[in-house]
Structure formats: structure tokens, C-alpha cells
Amino acid sequence: MALLRKSSAICRQVMKTSPAVSSVPSCLARDRIAPSPYRDDRCTRRLHNFKRPNLHVIRNQLARFEGGSVDLEMNNDNGIAILTLNNPRRMNSMTGKMMVDMADRVSELEEWTEGKALIMRGANGNLCTGGDLTFVRKALHYGEEMAAYQHDTLTRLLNLPLISVALVQGHTLGGGAELSTACDFRVMSSSAKIGFVQIKMGLSTAWGAATRLTRLLGRRKAIDLLCSARILLPDAAFREGLVDYVLPRICEDELEETTKWLLRNLCAYDTNITRVVKSLVVSAEFSMDHYQALDAERKLFGQTWGGPVQRKMLEANLKHK
């Protein structure tokens, strides 16, 4: 417990002391680009002056759009939590109330010290198909606010000290594909489809996928997937690097198989050390200063060196076996 508290405190300090990350790409900063007849100064100015909205106010507004739920089960025995999007009549499309639910479930996970991993899934064989159309039609005036709320929730989800996996099943399209990028890994059913189809609806990505996808796959592949609106079958998604594992065609329980894959490949070792390693990666990714990231890594390593897990391994005379 003390180790977890120290690791969290160190990571928070790294985030706090790192240079502020502008919400504007450096190529759009007004003091770094030469005047261009093709640049829309109004757009640049708007991005440059962007202020973080009041998430509490947005939360209260989103909660008015009812329907569905986001449910959470935390298993202290194996250290794996299951986050379930539950709106099966609408293929688990997200309502405002579900967005609030998800934010609350992430808050619960932030306080869960017994866990090492998280699986995000959808009820009844579909992960998610984006925004619920009834909600979308009623909230056309509320796009930026809704996006800001989801950005906060999904960034917190991605940065949890838990190894996260999205179980991609059925139709994982649009916002559903975006949700999958808020996890560290993606496991895909052999019968599933995934695609960033927002451009077909006259939209760009709302929930942060352009940023996460670019970091995940690089500029060219991100542009390709977002602008082509291609719907990928499992083999193609695996080749693109979007998916990390495709489940066998004959699979009686895909959630159980995903759990086994997670335990076998990523969660075979001590819970506390696993959480520290995930926190190290998060701090390194978001620290703008290479030396600050190394400083955090050194401090966290110091908390594990000579600790009970290492001592147990030494007593068992284990060395990379």
C-alpha cells in the first residue's frame, strides 16, 4: 500500500512539474508559423485561447440524457476489473447518462488498490457503436462540452495504474472504435468489425481518438484510418497494429479467453510491481522532460529495490528463469 501511494505521488509530481502541454499543436501556435493565405486565423486563435470547461456543469447536463448504464465488477482475487457498457437494445451506444456513469466508474478504479488490470467490454456481444442517436439529436448544441467531458474520462481511464484491454466484439464503430483506443491493448473477436467511420457522418473524432491513434500508430496510419473510414476485419486490424490479439474462431467465452490472455501475457507477476510499471510508462509518456521521467523512474525503482517481492525471488534463487 505504501509503495502504491508513493508511486502515485511521484507520478503526480512529474505531471505537475512538467512544462505545461499546450492544447494547440506547435505547428498551429501563432508565434511559430509564418503568415499564410491558406490559414484560418479564426480557427488558430480559437484553439490557442481554448480554456478548460467546467466539467461539473457539463456532468449535470449530460446526466439529463438517460438510458443505459456502465457497470463495474472488481475481482480482488485475480486483480482484474470488468467495465461493461450496458445499452444492448442500441448496440451499447453511449447516452449522456452512460458518460457520467463511466466517469464515476473510472473514479472508483482510481481508488482500487487491489487491482492490476481492466477489461472494457459491451453487453450482448457488441462493444459500442458510438453516441446514442436519440441523445445526439437532443444534444447537437452541446458537442464541445460533451467532447471535453469524454476527453477527461478517457484520459483518466488510459492513465490508470491498471493494464487495460478493450474487448472488441460485434460492431465497434465510430465512437466505439474511439473508446477502444483509450485502453492499452485491444483484443478482437474473430467475427468483429472495427472502424473510425465518423467522417461518413460529417464529423471528426469527438472522444480523443485522433490524438491517441496518432501516438499509437503514427501520422500516416492515423490519417488513413480516419479519412478512409475503412471498416476492418480482425486480420486487417491486426496487420495495421490496431489490435494486439485475435481470439480463436471457436471460443465459447470470449471474456474468459481475454482474461486468460491478459493473465498469461501481462499480469503474471506481483500486483504492486505491475501497477508501478504502468505508472512509470504513463509518467514517461506525459513528461516533456526526459530527465524528469528518468528521475521518476529512479525514485519508483528505489521503492521496489529490496522490497518483499525482490527478497522473495532472491530467496528462491530465481534469476530470469
Side-chain angles (χ1 to χ4, degrees), residues 17-319:
T17 57
S18 299
V21 181
S22 170
S23 59
V24 191
S26 59
C27 61
L28 289 180
R30 298 185 69 196
D31 58 346
R32 297 185 186 179
I33 49 179
S36 167
Y38 303 105
R39 195 180 81 235
D40 187 341
D41 283 329
R42 291 172 300 174
C43 178
T44 304
R45 189 160 53 244
R46 185 180 182 186
L47 284 169
H48 190 69
N49 296 327
F50 177 78
K51 294 181 180 179
R52 184 175 295 277
N54 187 323
L55 296 178
H56 181 71
V57 172
I58 299 173
R59 172 192 175 89
N60 291 338
Q61 292 294 319
L62 289 174
R64 297 166 53 195
F65 300 99
E66 298 182 349
S69 65
V70 177
D71 307 320
L72 178 64
E73 300 175 34
M74 294 180 285
N75 187 328
N76 289 331
D77 293 331
N78 64 11
I80 295 182
I82 308 297
L83 186 73
T84 302
L85 279 61
N86 196 346
N87 192 13
R89 291 177 57 189
R90 297 180 180 270
M91 301 178 75
N92 300 319
S93 57
M94 296 283 285
T95 65
K97 186 250 184 192
M98 290 175 69
M99 294 176 190
V100 171
D101 280 358
M102 179 172 280
D104 290 345
R105 302 295 86 79
V106 172
S107 295
E108 293 176 36
L109 289 166
E110 287 173 333
E111 299 298 320
W112 187 42
T113 60
E114 304 297 322
K116 63 171 71 173
L118 166 71
I119 298 174
M120 180 172 65
R121 64 187 283 259
N124 289 15
N126 290 289
L127 178 55
C128 176
T129 54
D132 177 80
L133 288 182
T134 301
F135 160 69
V136 170
R137 292 187 181 101
K138 293 180 179 178
L140 289 176
H141 64 291
Y142 218 60
E144 288 190 32
E145 292 82 357
M146 178 269 292
Y149 194 81
Q150 286 288 84
H151 289 175
D152 178 78
T153 298
L154 297 178
T155 298
R156 291 194 295 124
L157 172 65
L158 183 60
N159 292 344
L160 287 168
L162 307 171
I163 297 174
S164 54
V165 175
L167 175 51
V168 178
Q169 294 176 298
H171 291 73
T172 299
L173 304 173
E178 291 202 61
L179 291 180
S180 76
T181 66
C183 291
D184 300 312
F185 298 91
R186 279 145 296 283
V187 168
M188 191 169 181
S189 168
S190 61
S191 60
K193 300 177 181 179
I194 186 169
F196 300 87
V197 297
Q198 290 87 337
I199 199 168
K200 290 184 178 180
M201 301 294 292
L203 294 170
S204 59
T205 50
W207 298 344
T211 298
R212 294 189 296 270
L213 202 60
T214 301
R215 288 180 174 177
L216 180 67
L217 300 179
R219 175 191 293 236
R220 291 177 63 242
K221 284 190 176 182
I223 292 173
D224 176 21
L225 292 177
L226 295 172
C227 289
S228 69
R230 286 190 292 136
I231 297 176
L232 304 178
L233 296 177
D235 288 346
F238 182 79
R239 286 196 304 271
E240 293 287 355
L242 180 60
V243 166
D244 302 282
Y245 178 63
V246 177
L247 293 167
R249 291 186 179 277
I250 301 176
C251 184
E252 294 183 1
D253 189 330
E254 293 185 333
L255 177 59
E256 181 180 352
E257 186 65 28
T258 302
T259 302
K260 290 179 180 178
W261 177 86
L262 186 53
L263 288 170
R264 183 171 62 247
N265 291 283
L266 299 165
C267 294
Y269 300 106
D270 179 78
T271 296
N272 289 353
I273 308 300
T274 301
R275 290 170 65 94
V276 166
V277 170
K278 172 65 188 287
S279 297
L280 280 172
V281 173
V282 171
S283 71
E285 181 179 16
F286 284 92
S287 174
M288 296 296 289
D289 189 318
H290 178 72
Y291 292 100
Q292 286 179 349
L294 291 177
D295 187 52
E297 186 163 349
R298 173 180 57 80
K299 290 177 180 178
L300 286 171
F301 170 74
Q303 302 303 325
T304 63
W305 184 259
V309 177
Q310 186 194 26
R311 291 179 184 275
K312 182 179 179 180
M313 296 299 103
L314 289 173
E315 290 173 3
N317 198 30
L318 292 177
K319 177 66 175 178

